Amino acid sequence: MSPIVSEPVTARLSRAAALVMAVTSGLLAANLYYAQPVVALIGRDLGMSPALESLIVTAAQIGYALGLVLLVPLGDVVENRRLILSSLAACILGLVGLALAPAAGWLFLAMLLVGLTSVGAQMIVPLAAHFAAPHERGRIVGNIMTGLLGGILLARPLSSFVAGTFGWRAIFWISAALLLVLALIGRRAFPERRPAHAQSYGALIASLGGLLRTQPVLRRRAIIHAALFASFALFWTGAPLLLLGEPFHLSPQAIALFALSGALGVLAAPVAGRLADRGHARAGTVGALLLAAAAMALALTASHSLAALVVAGVLLDLGVQANLVIGQREIFLLDGTIRNRLNAVFMSTFFLGGALGSALTSPLIEAFGWHAVALLGTLFPLAALAYFLFGERRRAR
């Protein structure tokens, strides 16, 4: 493992700046999930095949993974505030493109752009970590992640409610307007960070390839959360499709209320950060993986039970969000001069897991029904737990 290396920090993050950063992170991350509960409405409006509807979510996640690789590493060499504001501006343009999309092709291109530029959220998190002392980094990251995760978890119910009242395009207009306001506030609120070293863009991106090999903590954390995020995507892409059909026949507004239950997962972020600061990262990881597996196992019984589906969603989100905060804290304790690249590799790896989960959802439901989605979602965290425990045993020898 690399030694802990940090750039000198001459200031601490103010509460006002932390609040703006948390809200901005949440709104950026929410862009990836607005389409998730309304893919059937979008597909119907644009004449798409039902088997292709979940690819709308996949397009955003692929764009996000590309942005993590191609844009987030720039935070190690470019002044961070300017980089974040530029990403915000490009994201606003992509959201306007989504709101105006006349056909599926345009929609997929705009969704890729929105995913690509929403990575500004993952530029903000390392920036906040930079202004935190090591002993409080879990708390600071947990607080920023509370905003980010709140955006993710509230995106689904908000999108369902807005779609049911104003149509599916309205949520993208709303998101563009809110991000414009936050970009104007962020010009003053975001702290400046000028990285201490310069590097060519080609060398910067090329350096990513070796990080999974040279940083075992990063490799382990990225693989574990990729498995969890695949389950997360399977559940939250598949559940709205299940609820629209037999035997539930829920309206978009009712699905919004269902999705709101997942917002309780945001409570896990600050708690997980503080537990990790106190040396309980291992127990927290095992607990999060078991919680996610139990949630998806419960979802196996939920094809005719709305209550079981709600409980499964709450438990799954608690486990996934707790593990995310613990994982980010662990990687932020590594080399501080390459923190953005560490975060880029971590996030892009697990978002590919999410893209896999969302891409599999519609075909699985079409071919085998909801039980296949829930079963696969159960196996992912169990496999991650086996990998985590086996790796610990090997390192102990």
Side-chain angles (χ1 to χ4, degrees), residues 6 8 10 13 22 30 60 115 134 156 164 174 195 214 223 249 264 283 290 335 360 372:
S6 298
T10 58
L13 199 64
R156 296 184 297 263
I174 293 170
T214 61
I223 292 172
H249 294 297
L264 292 174
L290 289 174
D335 188 342
L360 290 173

Side-chain angles (χ1 to χ4, degrees), residues 35-70:
Q36 204 168 52
V38 295
V39 290
L41 299 179
I42 297 173
R44 193 179 308 144
D45 186 38
L46 299 181
M48 296 173 58
S49 164
L52 296 177
E53 289 170 354
S54 65
L55 292 180
I56 297 171
V57 179
T58 302
Q61 291 172 332
I62 290 174
Y64 201 75
L66 289 172
L68 288 166
V69 173
L70 300 176

Side-chain angles (χ1 to χ4, degrees), residues 21 23-34 59-68 71-72 83-84 86-95 98 110-125 148 152 172 175-176 179 343 347 351:
M21 294 169 82
V23 173
T24 305
S25 295
L27 285 173
L28 282 169
N31 289 328
L32 303 179
Y33 300 94
Y34 289 135
Q61 291 172 332
I62 290 174
Y64 201 75
L66 289 172
L68 288 166
L71 298 182
V72 171
L83 181 62
I84 292 167
S86 297
S87 298
L88 279 169
C91 188
I92 291 167
L93 291 176
L95 287 164
L98 272 179
M111 192 64 80
L112 278 170
L113 176 59
V114 168
L116 184 76
T117 53
S118 290
V119 294
Q122 298 308 326
M123 300 169 186
I124 290 173
V125 178
L148 189 151
I152 292 174
F172 299 114
S175 182
L179 285 179
N343 197 44
M347 298 293 295
F351 260 87

Side-chain angles (χ1 to χ4, degrees), residues 9 11-14 17-19 21-22 25 80 84 121-133 136-145 190-191 193 332 339-340:
V9 178
R12 293 292 178 223
L13 199 64
S14 70
L19 177 61
M21 294 169 82
S25 295
N80 285 196
I84 292 167
Q122 298 308 326
M123 300 169 186
I124 290 173
V125 178
L127 179 60
H130 176 74
F131 289 95
E136 63 175 4
R137 191 158 287 140
R139 179 179 63 83
I140 295 293
V141 170
N143 289 342
I144 299 297
M145 290 299 293
F190 295 154
R193 179 196 167 220
F332 286 158
R339 190 169 285 134
N340 278 71

Side-chain angles (χ1 to χ4, degrees), residues 168-259:
W168 66 266
R169 297 175 190 271
I171 191 63
F172 299 114
W173 285 116
I174 293 170
S175 182
L178 291 174
L179 285 179
L180 178 59
V181 172
L182 283 169
L184 295 174
I185 296 173
R187 289 184 63 188
R188 296 182 63 86
F190 295 154
E192 286 190 350
R193 179 196 167 220
R194 300 182 184 277
H197 63 286
Q199 193 173 15
S200 72
Y201 182 72
L204 185 75
I205 301 304
S207 68
L208 296 175
L211 289 179
L212 284 174
R213 184 182 68 255
T214 61
Q215 300 285 349
V217 173
L218 172 64
R219 181 174 62 249
R220 184 165 61 252
R221 286 293 170 181
I223 292 172
I224 289 170
H225 205 68
L228 272 190
F229 208 60
S231 290
F232 179 91
L234 280 162
F235 182 89
W236 286 109
T237 304
L241 298 175
L242 174 67
L243 294 173
L244 280 171
E246 292 282 353
F248 301 103
H249 294 297
L250 295 188
S251 67
Q253 290 89 342
I255 292 175
L257 293 176
F258 162 75

Side-chain angles (χ1 to χ4, degrees), residues 142 145-151 153 262-271 317-318 321:
M145 290 299 293
T146 298
L148 189 151
L149 299 173
L153 298 172
L264 292 174
V266 74
L267 301 176
V271 174
D317 279 15
L318 285 170
Q321 310 316 339

